[in-house]
PDB file of all heavy atoms in Angstrom:
ATOM      1  N   SER A 351     -46.583   5.147  29.921  1.00 98.00           N
ATOM      2  CA  SER A 351     -47.917   5.756  29.837  1.00 98.00           C
ATOM      3  C   SER A 351     -47.807   7.263  30.048  1.00 98.00           C
ATOM      4  O   SER A 351     -48.818   7.969  30.052  1.00 98.00           O
ATOM      5  CB  SER A 351     -48.842   5.143  30.896  1.00 98.00           C
ATOM      6  OG  SER A 351     -48.280   5.313  32.176  1.00 98.00           O
ATOM      7  N   ILE A 352     -46.590   7.754  30.237  1.00 97.00           N
ATOM      8  CA  ILE A 352     -46.344   9.188  30.428  1.00 97.00           C
ATOM      9  C   ILE A 352     -45.265   9.636  29.429  1.00 97.00           C
ATOM     10  O   ILE A 352     -44.517   8.805  28.924  1.00 97.00           O
ATOM     11  CB  ILE A 352     -45.845   9.482  31.868  1.00 97.00           C
ATOM     12  CG1 ILE A 352     -44.624   8.591  32.185  1.00 97.00           C
ATOM     13  CG2 ILE A 352     -46.953   9.278  32.892  1.00 97.00           C
ATOM     14  CD1 ILE A 352     -43.915   8.957  33.471  1.00 97.00           C
ATOM     15  N   PRO A 353     -45.177  10.946  29.157  1.00 97.00           N
ATOM     16  CA  PRO A 353     -44.107  11.423  28.273  1.00 97.00           C
ATOM     17  C   PRO A 353     -42.729  11.153  28.897  1.00 97.00           C
ATOM     18  O   PRO A 353     -42.578  11.230  30.114  1.00 97.00           O
ATOM     19  CB  PRO A 353     -44.358  12.934  28.159  1.00 97.00           C
ATOM     20  CG  PRO A 353     -45.778  13.125  28.552  1.00 97.00           C
ATOM     21  CD  PRO A 353     -46.088  12.057  29.562  1.00 97.00           C
ATOM     22  N   VAL A 354     -41.748  10.846  28.059  1.00 98.00           N
ATOM     23  CA  VAL A 354     -40.435  10.438  28.576  1.00 98.00           C
ATOM     24  C   VAL A 354     -39.380  11.552  28.550  1.00 98.00           C
ATOM     25  O   VAL A 354     -38.256  11.350  29.011  1.00 98.00           O
ATOM     26  CB  VAL A 354     -39.891   9.215  27.802  1.00 98.00           C
ATOM     27  CG1 VAL A 354     -40.784   8.011  28.013  1.00 98.00           C
ATOM     28  CG2 VAL A 354     -39.751   9.528  26.304  1.00 98.00           C
ATOM     29  N   GLY A 355     -39.757  12.731  28.022  1.00 97.00           N
ATOM     30  CA  GLY A 355     -38.787  13.816  27.862  1.00 97.00           C
ATOM     31  C   GLY A 355     -38.064  14.162  29.159  1.00 97.00           C
ATOM     32  O   GLY A 355     -36.836  14.333  29.191  1.00 97.00           O
ATOM     33  N   ASP A 356     -38.817  14.243  30.241  1.00 97.00           N
ATOM     34  CA  ASP A 356     -38.239  14.620  31.534  1.00 97.00           C
ATOM     35  C   ASP A 356     -37.264  13.546  32.038  1.00 97.00           C
ATOM     36  O   ASP A 356     -36.206  13.861  32.589  1.00 97.00           O
ATOM     37  CB  ASP A 356     -39.391  14.826  32.540  1.00 97.00           C
ATOM     38  CG  ASP A 356     -38.869  15.209  33.912  1.00 97.00           C
ATOM     39  OD1 ASP A 356     -38.052  16.150  33.973  1.00 97.00           O
ATOM     40  OD2 ASP A 356     -39.239  14.543  34.897  1.00 97.00           O
ATOM     41  N   ILE A 357     -37.595  12.303  31.814  1.00 98.00           N
ATOM     42  CA  ILE A 357     -36.707  11.200  32.241  1.00 98.00           C
ATOM     43  C   ILE A 357     -35.396  11.256  31.452  1.00 98.00           C
ATOM     44  O   ILE A 357     -34.310  11.103  32.019  1.00 98.00           O
ATOM     45  CB  ILE A 357     -37.411   9.833  32.029  1.00 98.00           C
ATOM     46  CG1 ILE A 357     -38.664   9.746  32.908  1.00 98.00           C
ATOM     47  CG2 ILE A 357     -36.464   8.672  32.313  1.00 98.00           C
ATOM     48  CD1 ILE A 357     -39.588   8.587  32.591  1.00 98.00           C
ATOM     49  N   ILE A 358     -35.499  11.518  30.169  1.00 98.00           N
ATOM     50  CA  ILE A 358     -34.301  11.593  29.324  1.00 98.00           C
ATOM     51  C   ILE A 358     -33.408  12.764  29.744  1.00 98.00           C
ATOM     52  O   ILE A 358     -32.186  12.641  29.805  1.00 98.00           O
ATOM     53  CB  ILE A 358     -34.707  11.684  27.832  1.00 98.00           C
ATOM     54  CG1 ILE A 358     -35.307  10.346  27.378  1.00 98.00           C
ATOM     55  CG2 ILE A 358     -33.506  12.056  26.957  1.00 98.00           C
ATOM     56  CD1 ILE A 358     -35.870  10.326  25.971  1.00 98.00           C
ATOM     57  N   ASN A 359     -34.034  13.898  30.100  1.00 97.00           N
ATOM     58  CA  ASN A 359     -33.252  15.049  30.575  1.00 97.00           C
ATOM     59  C   ASN A 359     -32.558  14.755  31.901  1.00 97.00           C
ATOM     60  O   ASN A 359     -31.408  15.139  32.108  1.00 97.00           O
ATOM     61  CB  ASN A 359     -34.147  16.279  30.719  1.00 97.00           C
ATOM     62  CG  ASN A 359     -34.363  16.961  29.369  1.00 97.00           C
ATOM     63  OD1 ASN A 359     -33.434  17.091  28.572  1.00 97.00           O
ATOM     64  ND2 ASN A 359     -35.593  17.361  29.098  1.00 97.00           N
ATOM     65  N   ARG A 360     -33.266  14.089  32.803  1.00 97.00           N
ATOM     66  CA  ARG A 360     -32.652  13.723  34.091  1.00 97.00           C
ATOM     67  C   ARG A 360     -31.474  12.778  33.866  1.00 97.00           C
ATOM     68  O   ARG A 360     -30.439  12.893  34.511  1.00 97.00           O
ATOM     69  CB  ARG A 360     -33.670  13.027  34.993  1.00 97.00           C
ATOM     70  CG  ARG A 360     -34.670  13.961  35.641  1.00 97.00           C
ATOM     71  CD  ARG A 360     -35.812  13.159  36.270  1.00 97.00           C
ATOM     72  NE  ARG A 360     -36.917  14.036  36.590  1.00 97.00           N
ATOM     73  CZ  ARG A 360     -37.239  14.394  37.837  1.00 97.00           C
ATOM     74  NH1 ARG A 360     -36.560  13.923  38.863  1.00 97.00           N
ATOM     75  NH2 ARG A 360     -38.247  15.208  38.043  1.00 97.00           N
ATOM     76  N   ALA A 361     -31.644  11.822  32.954  1.00 98.00           N
ATOM     77  CA  ALA A 361     -30.575  10.862  32.660  1.00 98.00           C
ATOM     78  C   ALA A 361     -29.341  11.583  32.122  1.00 98.00           C
ATOM     79  O   ALA A 361     -28.206  11.291  32.522  1.00 98.00           O
ATOM     80  CB  ALA A 361     -31.062   9.819  31.659  1.00 98.00           C
ATOM     81  N   LEU A 362     -29.580  12.550  31.259  1.00 98.00           N
ATOM     82  CA  LEU A 362     -28.463  13.312  30.682  1.00 98.00           C
ATOM     83  C   LEU A 362     -27.672  14.014  31.785  1.00 98.00           C
ATOM     84  O   LEU A 362     -26.432  14.000  31.789  1.00 98.00           O
ATOM     85  CB  LEU A 362     -28.996  14.333  29.671  1.00 98.00           C
ATOM     86  CG  LEU A 362     -27.950  15.062  28.825  1.00 98.00           C
ATOM     87  CD1 LEU A 362     -27.271  14.099  27.856  1.00 98.00           C
ATOM     88  CD2 LEU A 362     -28.575  16.215  28.050  1.00 98.00           C
ATOM     89  N   GLU A 363     -28.386  14.612  32.729  1.00 97.00           N
ATOM     90  CA  GLU A 363     -27.716  15.271  33.861  1.00 97.00           C
ATOM     91  C   GLU A 363     -26.850  14.296  34.648  1.00 97.00           C
ATOM     92  O   GLU A 363     -25.807  14.657  35.179  1.00 97.00           O
ATOM     93  CB  GLU A 363     -28.752  15.879  34.815  1.00 97.00           C
ATOM     94  CG  GLU A 363     -29.169  17.276  34.429  1.00 97.00           C
ATOM     95  CD  GLU A 363     -30.342  17.765  35.270  1.00 97.00           C
ATOM     96  OE1 GLU A 363     -30.405  17.382  36.467  1.00 97.00           O
ATOM     97  OE2 GLU A 363     -31.182  18.500  34.716  1.00 97.00           O
ATOM     98  N   LYS A 364     -27.310  13.049  34.705  1.00 98.00           N
ATOM     99  CA  LYS A 364     -26.566  12.036  35.467  1.00 98.00           C
ATOM    100  C   LYS A 364     -25.545  11.291  34.606  1.00 98.00           C
ATOM    101  O   LYS A 364     -24.987  10.286  35.034  1.00 98.00           O
ATOM    102  CB  LYS A 364     -27.541  11.017  36.074  1.00 98.00           C
ATOM    103  CG  LYS A 364     -28.509  11.593  37.107  1.00 98.00           C
ATOM    104  CD  LYS A 364     -29.463  10.506  37.577  1.00 98.00           C
ATOM    105  CE  LYS A 364     -30.701  11.067  38.243  1.00 98.00           C
ATOM    106  NZ  LYS A 364     -30.438  11.663  39.564  1.00 98.00           N
ATOM    107  N   GLY A 365     -25.344  11.757  33.376  1.00 98.00           N
ATOM    108  CA  GLY A 365     -24.292  11.172  32.545  1.00 98.00           C
ATOM    109  C   GLY A 365     -24.723   9.969  31.722  1.00 98.00           C
ATOM    110  O   GLY A 365     -23.931   9.079  31.438  1.00 98.00           O
ATOM    111  N   LEU A 366     -25.993   9.950  31.299  1.00 98.00           N
ATOM    112  CA  LEU A 366     -26.471   8.874  30.434  1.00 98.00           C
ATOM    113  C   LEU A 366     -27.229   9.476  29.250  1.00 98.00           C
ATOM    114  O   LEU A 366     -28.168  10.253  29.443  1.00 98.00           O
ATOM    115  CB  LEU A 366     -27.400   7.935  31.219  1.00 98.00           C
ATOM    116  CG  LEU A 366     -28.202   6.921  30.388  1.00 98.00           C
ATOM    117  CD1 LEU A 366     -27.274   5.912  29.707  1.00 98.00           C
ATOM    118  CD2 LEU A 366     -29.233   6.198  31.258  1.00 98.00           C
ATOM    119  N   ILE A 367     -26.821   9.125  28.052  1.00 98.00           N
ATOM    120  CA  ILE A 367     -27.503   9.614  26.851  1.00 98.00           C
ATOM    121  C   ILE A 367     -28.519   8.587  26.373  1.00 98.00           C
ATOM    122  O   ILE A 367     -28.179   7.441  26.082  1.00 98.00           O
ATOM    123  CB  ILE A 367     -26.490   9.939  25.730  1.00 98.00           C
ATOM    124  CG1 ILE A 367     -25.598  11.098  26.166  1.00 98.00           C
ATOM    125  CG2 ILE A 367     -27.212  10.257  24.421  1.00 98.00           C
ATOM    126  CD1 ILE A 367     -24.563  11.522  25.149  1.00 98.00           C
ATOM    127  N   LEU A 368     -29.783   9.017  26.345  1.00 98.00           N
ATOM    128  CA  LEU A 368     -30.892   8.179  25.861  1.00 98.00           C
ATOM    129  C   LEU A 368     -31.646   8.987  24.817  1.00 98.00           C
ATOM    130  O   LEU A 368     -31.541  10.209  24.792  1.00 98.00           O
ATOM    131  CB  LEU A 368     -31.854   7.858  27.005  1.00 98.00           C
ATOM    132  CG  LEU A 368     -31.386   6.935  28.129  1.00 98.00           C
ATOM    133  CD1 LEU A 368     -32.433   6.941  29.257  1.00 98.00           C
ATOM    134  CD2 LEU A 368     -31.171   5.517  27.625  1.00 98.00           C
ATOM    135  N   ILE A 369     -32.391   8.318  23.961  1.00 97.00           N
ATOM    136  CA  ILE A 369     -33.298   9.057  23.079  1.00 97.00           C
ATOM    137  C   ILE A 369     -34.682   8.434  23.108  1.00 97.00           C
ATOM    138  O   ILE A 369     -34.867   7.292  23.512  1.00 97.00           O
ATOM    139  CB  ILE A 369     -32.857   9.131  21.599  1.00 97.00           C
ATOM    140  CG1 ILE A 369     -32.318   7.788  21.121  1.00 97.00           C
ATOM    141  CG2 ILE A 369     -31.923  10.273  21.345  1.00 97.00           C
ATOM    142  CD1 ILE A 369     -32.270   7.705  19.610  1.00 97.00           C
TER     143      ILE A 369
END
Side-chain angles (χ1 to χ4, degrees):
S351 57
I352 53 170
V354 296
D356 180 51
I357 297 168
I358 290 174
N359 279 319
R360 283 168 194 253
L362 189 68
E363 273 172 34
K364 296 177 198 289
L366 168 65
I367 295 180
L368 291 171
I369 42 163

